[in-house]
Amino acid sequence: MGYVIVVATALLAQVLNRGGRARVDVGERVAAYSYGVLIGLAVCLFLVFFTAVRDDGSPPWWPMAPVGAGTAVAALALLRSARAAAEPDWVAA
């Protein structure tokens, strides 16, 4: 799960850098990766808890749910930091 999130976010950072929209530094990428992996793990824990509560023997385990949620959150965090980096800092002189 973590590998897919990191690769997808790195691809998005590469596209943002190539397009000239904004330069995303390594610290911002690591923060986005970490946030995405944490959200993916939270979705995993939710699915495990939901299975234990249902207790009917059929686990609702969809492996793409945590990967998709983590990747989406990491991509949104990266886009948000890229947008903030692309905006000019208006300093009153």
Side-chain angles (χ1 to χ4, degrees):
M1 172 188 71
Y3 180 75
V4 173
I5 293 171
V6 168
V7 168
T9 311
L11 257 159
L12 179 62
Q14 181 70 21
V15 169
L16 287 173
N17 288 344
R18 185 182 306 165
R21 295 183 193 166
R23 295 291 300 173
V24 182
D25 66 349
V26 176
E28 292 170 343
R29 284 187 284 189
V30 169
Y33 301 155
S34 303
Y35 194 54
V37 169
L38 285 176
I39 294 298
L41 289 175
V43 170
C44 285
L45 290 176
F46 173 76
L47 289 174
V48 167
F49 177 74
F50 186 68
T51 301
V53 169
R54 278 187 34 189
D55 196 37
D56 64 352
S58 62
W61 184 252
W62 304 285
M64 291 308 291
V67 172
T71 304
V73 167
L76 288 175
L78 189 66
L79 287 173
R80 184 176 178 194
S81 65
R83 184 176 299 142
E87 292 177 358
D89 292 332
W90 298 103
V91 178

